[in-house]
Amino acid sequence: MDAPLVEHGGSLAEYFSAPFWTTASREGGISYYRPFVTLSFAIDHRLHAGNPAGYHLTNVFFHTLNALLVYALGRKLGIRTTTAGLVAIGWALLPRLAEAGAWISGRTDLIAATFTFSALLAWGPGLGRRIAAALLVGMG
């Protein structure tokens, strides 16, 4: 796997300071920062070791959670229950990026969507709700 933080674990600070993925280039490389994805892979590694089915199951969980968040967002926007349900089912069964559910590495998109939908649900009047929404977007 060649991901020491995922394979052997580390402190919470290490997950939030280490890059998710670094590419080599002449200018020194580009790093991607995805601490929640790295942490989720580490949890999967602890639970499922090298069994890819467990990693896929986690992706299915996040995809299902996102469909429920789409439903909740529809209800928050005043869409009828049946319509919101149909939109959420359509979103779940016909995702724009099927790779997010089919590929283990697609988890980055699933987790980003979870935090983004949560931010949209948190948004509302008042400073506290707006700060919560901003934090959720940042975590995504």
Side-chain angles (χ1 to χ4, degrees):
M1 183 180 279
D2 196 30
L5 197 55
V6 170
E7 292 177 4
H8 307 294
S11 69
L12 198 55
E14 288 176 288
Y15 286 104
F16 284 91
S17 62
F20 172 67
W21 182 36
T22 302
T23 61
S25 73
R26 292 182 186 165
E27 291 81 31
I30 300 170
S31 294
Y32 295 95
Y33 182 69
R34 306 283 189 273
F36 291 105
V37 176
T38 305
L39 185 58
S40 74
F41 283 144
I43 292 168
D44 271 348
H45 184 73
R46 183 172 282 277
L47 294 174
H48 310 292
N51 182 1
Y55 293 79
H56 283 290
L57 186 61
T58 302
N59 283 12
V60 169
F61 165 78
F62 277 110
H63 185 68
T64 303
L65 176 61
N66 288 336
L68 293 171
L69 290 170
V70 165
Y71 172 79
L73 186 58
R75 293 297 296 141
K76 178 183 178 183
L77 295 173
I79 298 173
R80 293 184 192 148
T81 304
T82 306
T83 306
L86 289 173
V87 168
I89 289 169
W91 190 87
L93 296 178
L94 302 166
R96 184 190 166 284
L97 292 173
E99 299 88 1
W103 298 346
I104 293 169
S105 62
R107 188 171 306 173
T108 56
D109 296 325
L110 293 169
I111 290 178
T114 299
F115 282 117
T116 302
F117 290 143
S118 297
L120 290 170
L121 285 169
W123 181 263
L127 183 61
R129 291 180 66 109
R130 292 180 181 187
I131 289 173
L135 290 172
L136 286 164
V137 166
M139 291 189 303

